[in-house]
Every structure is written in structure tokens, then in C-alpha cells.
């Protein structure tokens, strides 16, 4: 496999979706409905990544008490709910995960 | 000038909590790419020129599975579409920024930089020189990502079992820390809950299309539920 061909290809398909909308910003206007939809993008995408990364392991659904991710996820959720603070959420979530990981 | 430099460093400072979360992810990428047979230079080259965490992870995993180059590139494209949606959401505010800087903004667009800028714009919608602040956040992420990749390459050679520690938990808790504080109304909650379960249901769909499709469904749910409350233009 040609590694550098892969990197160039990945660079193109990564950069263009990030840049084209910003580049053409002055030539197009966004429909209000589209703008409203965009407000939901971070919530939708990030939550999908959260659930897949914490409950799917090696392609299998893994909802069980021996899944250390579950403890990290629940601890992070509770912390985020009460503190609304990203850094505290990360700290508490990582500590809960580490404890569960060591004990399981 | 000083004021702009100040803004740049403010951006770099405000992204730090997310850098702490992204760092293990970068280290694991470096270790994983190596373990799956990518050379040292290509492992680092991907971080330098592609600079997209989840795409690099997907690529490293596919390389390990022996996938062909076109398949990897197509998969990366699908994984990246969420960045396009981020970029579209920046459209209304970037029209006065020079094109060269916009290219740089596009290159540095990550979940972390976008989230940092978004949370600032919530408090200050008419934020002057927001792009300087954003670039500070973006460069902070870029520098951290390169350092972590190098660390991962070194650690991966020292500790071959590193990738089994499940370090991507860092990404999970960081995203929880971003999403939960912005959930304020019913439509946003419905969107999040839909995304959570739809992503689980569709997880085995090919080329990670499950994430993309469940996101689109969740966005549709959010829009449908917020429509009634929404202002002008709607006459029945």
C-alpha cells in the first residue's frame, strides 16, 4: 500500500468539507430551516459518538456491569448535569472509569 | 495588535480542557497506527497533513484490517461530513474574513476548536475578531495533536498493550462535558436521546454510515419539535 497516496487522499476529503462552506460564505445564503437544523448538529453527532464509543466494543453491543465505560459515562453525565463544567466532567469521568477499569 | 495576540492566546487557553481530553486520543492514535503497520513518518504525516482525530483512528483501524486505499478514503469522507456541517454553521459569520485565513480556519476545524468557539459565541454573539480567537484554539489543538502523536509512537514501541487500555474514554467524557451543558429545551433533549439510541441501533451499518444517518434522524427530530415555537414566516 502506498501510504503517502493514502495521506494525500485523506487530506483532500478532510480539508474540502471543512473549507468549501467557509470559502463560499459570501456567495450563498443559508435557508432559515437549514440554519435551525445546524444548531442541532453538534448535539446529534457528538451524542452518537458517545453512545457508540461507550457501548459498542469490537462491533458488539456491550451493556453490562463489567463495561468500565458505563461508569465513566454515568459519572460524567451526572457531573455535567450539576456543574455544567466541561473540565470537571472530564476529570470525574476519567477517575470513575479508571477505578472501574482497575476493579473489573 | 496586542489585543489580537491577546485574543489568540485566549482561544488557546479556552481550548485547554478539551486538549486534556483529546491528548490520550492522540497518543492512542500514534500507538495504534504503528501497531497496525503504518510507518513512523506516515503516522506523523497523517497528523500533520490530515489532522482529524476520528478519521485517523478509522484509517488506522482499516489499515490493520487490510482495507484498500480507496475504501479508506471513502470511509474517511463519510466520517468527516460532520465537519462540513460545522463549517456551514460558520458561514453567516465568516464573510468578511480574507480567503487565506478562511482556508486556515477550514484546515484547523475540529470538534474541539468548533466547540470552544461555539460556547464563546453563546455568551457573545457579536464577538469581534472571533476568527483570531478561533485560530488560537485551532493552533493549540494542532500543536497538542502533533506532540501526542509523537508520544504515542514512542509509547507504542515501549508498551505494545497500550491500545487495550480503552483510552478513548477520554473522548466520551469530553463530549459529555460539551453536550450536556447545552441541552436546554425539549427539542435539544429529544435530539440527543434520539442520536444516542439511533447510533446504537445502526452501529453495524457499513463504513460508519450508522453515525451519519442517526445524526441526520436526530437533527430532523430536533427541528420538528422546535418548529412550533419558532418565530416569523410560518403562516398556515
Amino acid at each position: 500500500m502506498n501510504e503517502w497516496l493514502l495521506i494525500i487522499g485523506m487530506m483532500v476529503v478532510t480539508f474540502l468539507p471543512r473549507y468549501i462552506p467557509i470559502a463560499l460564505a459570501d456567495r450563498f445564503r443559508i435557508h432559515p430551516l437549514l440554519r435551525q437544523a445546524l444548531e442541532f448538529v453538534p448535539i446529534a453527532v457528538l451524542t452518537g459518538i458517545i453512545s457508540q464509543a461507550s457501548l459498542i466494543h469490537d462491533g458488539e453491543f456491550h451493556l453490562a456491569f463489567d463495561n468500565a465505560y458505563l461508569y465513566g459515562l454515568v459519572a460524567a453525565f451526572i457531573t455535567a448535569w450539576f456543574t455544567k463544567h466541561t473540565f470537571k466532567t472530564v476529570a470525574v469521568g476519567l477517575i470513575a472509569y479508571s477505578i472501574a477499569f482497575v476493579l473489573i | 495588535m496586542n489585543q489580537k495576540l491577546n485574543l489568540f492566546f485566549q482561544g488557546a487557553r479556552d481550548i485547554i480542557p478539551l486538549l486534556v481530553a483529546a491528548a490520550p486520543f492522540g497518543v492512542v492514535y500514534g500507538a495504534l497506527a504503528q501497531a497496525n503497520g503504518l510507518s513512523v513518518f506516515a503516522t506523523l504525516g497523517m497528523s500533520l497533513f490530515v489532522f482529524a482525530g476520528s478519521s485517523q483512528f478509522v484509517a488506522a483501524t482499516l489499515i490493520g484490517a487490510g482495507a484498500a486505499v480507496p475504501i479508506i478514503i471513502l470511509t474517511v469522507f463519510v466520517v468527516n461530513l460532520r465537519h462540513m456541517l460545522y463549517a456551514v454553521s460558520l458561514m453567516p459569520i465568516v464573510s468578511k474574513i480574507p480567503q487565506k485565513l478562511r482556508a486556515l480556519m477550514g484546515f484547523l476545524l475540529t470538534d474541539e476548536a468548533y466547540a470552544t468557539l461555539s460556547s464563546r459565541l453563546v455568551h457573545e454573539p457579536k464577538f469581534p475578531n472571533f476568527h483570531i480567537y478561533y485560530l488560537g484554539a485551532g493552533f493549540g489543538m494542532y500543536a497538542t495533536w502533533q506532540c501526542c502523536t509523537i508520544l504515542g509512537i514512542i509509547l507504542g514501541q515501549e508498551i505494545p498493550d497500550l491500545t487495550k487500555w480503552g483510552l478513548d474514554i477520554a473522548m466520551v467524557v469530553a463530549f459529555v462535558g460539551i453536550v450536556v451543558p447545552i441541552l436546554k429545551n425539549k427539542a435539544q433533549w429529544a435530539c440527543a436521546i434520539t442520536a444516542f439510541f439511533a447510533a446504537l441501533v445502526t452501529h453495524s451499518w457499513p463504513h460508519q454510515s450508522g453515525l451519519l444517518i442517526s445524526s441526520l434522524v436526530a437533527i430532523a427530530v430536533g427541528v420538528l419539535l422546535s418548529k412550533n415555537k419558532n418565530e416569523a414566516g410560518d403562516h398556515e
Side-chain angles (χ1 to χ4, degrees):
Chain A
M1 178 178 56
N2 189 330
E3 302 182 315
W4 291 98
L5 196 70
L6 174 67
I7 289 175
I8 291 166
M10 283 176 64
M11 189 178 163
V12 170
V13 298
T14 301
F15 179 67
L16 290 183
R18 288 173 172 179
Y19 175 54
I20 288 174
I22 299 178
L24 301 180
D26 13 25
R27 281 181 236 170
F28 293 96
R29 286 192 50 195
I30 307 169
H31 191 276
L33 190 65
L34 179 60
R35 186 172 306 179
Q36 194 184 32
L38 287 167
E39 286 168 19
F40 290 97
V41 168
I43 297 173
V45 176
L46 298 181
T47 308
I49 294 176
I50 290 168
S51 71
Q52 285 191 346
S54 50
L55 296 175
I56 309 288
H57 294 154
D58 300 321
E60 303 276 329
F61 188 62
H62 190 184
L63 180 60
F65 288 112
D66 66 348
N67 180 359
Y69 283 72
L70 207 56
Y71 300 92
L73 179 64
V74 172
F77 180 80
I78 294 168
T79 313
W81 175 275
F82 284 108
T83 66
K84 311 275 181 216
H85 198 286
T86 306
F87 192 69
K88 286 175 192 160
T89 302
V90 170
V92 174
L94 288 182
I95 291 167
Y97 172 81
S98 309
I99 294 171
F101 184 81
V102 170
L103 292 181
I104 288 168
Chain B
M1 188 63 214
N2 265 341
Q3 210 176 3
K4 284 189 177 176
L5 204 62
N6 205 12
L7 261 186
F8 184 88
F9 284 113
Q10 251 182 52
R13 187 197 62 203
D14 289 353
I15 201 174
I16 287 174
L18 299 180
L19 298 184
V20 173
F25 204 40
V27 174
V28 181
Y29 158 74
L32 186 72
Q34 287 270 288
N36 287 356
L38 210 60
S39 72
V40 172
F41 287 114
T43 301
L44 185 59
M46 209 177 267
S47 287
L48 284 168
F49 301 117
V50 179
F51 185 50
S54 26
S55 303
Q56 290 178 230
F57 250 92
V58 170
T61 310
L62 289 175
I63 289 165
V69 170
I71 297 285
I72 300 174
I73 292 173
L74 187 70
T75 308
V76 165
F77 176 69
V78 175
V79 171
N80 275 330
L81 281 181
R82 76 175 187 289
H83 289 137
M84 182 160 200
L85 297 171
Y86 291 162
V88 171
S89 83
L90 294 176
M91 284 173 71
I93 57 173
V94 295
S95 52
K96 285 179 188 146
I97 294 166
Q99 207 55 245
K100 274 181 192 168
L101 278 181
R102 285 195 224 175
L104 195 56
M105 288 179 74
F107 181 73
L108 293 173
L109 184 55
T110 55
D111 294 314
E112 288 79 7
Y114 179 79
T116 304
L117 179 63
S118 306
S119 64
R120 175 71 184 250
L121 286 173
V122 166
H123 302 296
E124 199 180 340
K126 302 264 175 228
F127 180 18
N129 285 321
F130 74 91
H131 63 290
I132 306 284
Y133 174 87
Y134 167 89
L135 289 174
F139 273 112
M141 180 65 195
Y142 190 76
T144 306
W145 191 247
Q146 308 315 324
C147 294
C148 290
T149 302
I150 294 169
L151 188 64
I153 292 171
I154 296 167
L155 285 179
Q157 288 168 351
E158 302 288 321
I159 317 166
D161 274 353
L162 191 70
T163 50
K164 290 179 189 155
W165 290 4
L167 295 182
D168 56 344
I169 183 68
M171 171 188 69
V172 171
V173 296
F175 288 175
V176 171
I178 295 166
V179 172
V180 174
I182 55 177
L183 297 177
K184 283 177 185 134
N185 58 45
K186 248 184 219 165
Q188 289 167 331
W189 274 100
C191 174
I193 292 166
T194 306
F196 190 92
F197 290 104
L200 293 179
V201 172
T202 61
H203 78 89
S204 59
W205 291 18
H207 305 306
Q208 292 217 346
S209 61
L211 180 61
L212 184 73
I213 292 175
S214 56
S215 299
L216 294 176
V217 171
I219 291 164
V221 168
V223 170
L224 285 175
L225 287 179
S226 56
K227 211 177 172 189
N228 300 333
K229 283 180 251 167
N230 231 311
E231 82 281 275
D234 273 73
H235 23 224
E236 325 214 346

